[in-house]
Amino acid sequence: PLAAENFRNIENASAQAVNLTDGEPWRIRKLLVSHRRASITAKTDPQSIAARPCFLCEANRPPEQSAITGHGFQTLVN
């Protein structure tokens, strides 16, 4: 359910096409994904990172976050 909600939020995000450089034919699609604002604005200095619990570690994941385990790895849907 959490992954489904996140995917719906991305599908409903506002988008804007942006040229990579002037005159270049390549364009990217910039998304405003407001439900991820806390993640993208988090402090990334070494002290802040060291003080935060690992969001990938099993003990810190939301209860509904499941993983597929195999060959010594865990695959998570985010």
Side-chain angles (χ1 to χ4, degrees):
L2 178 61
E5 180 182 346
N6 287 339
F7 288 129
R8 274 192 304 278
N9 287 335
I10 289 172
E11 288 174 359
N12 295 326
S14 60
Q16 177 183 16
V18 178
N19 287 328
L20 294 177
T21 60
D22 290 337
E24 188 173 328
W26 299 101
R27 295 169 65 90
I28 60 171
R29 191 169 142 222
K30 180 172 72 172
L31 295 176
L32 174 58
V33 188
S34 58
H35 76 284
R36 299 299 305 254
R37 186 174 305 273
S39 296
I40 62 175
T41 60
K43 292 183 179 180
T44 57
D45 61 275
Q47 296 82 11
S48 296
I49 292 173
R52 261 196 309 268
C54 174
F55 65 92
L56 296 174
C57 293
E58 188 172 0
N60 303 322
R61 293 183 210 145
E64 63 273 23
Q65 173 75 63
S66 60
I68 299 170
T69 303
H71 305 287
F73 296 95
Q74 291 188 333
T75 303
L76 305 172
V77 175
N78 182 326

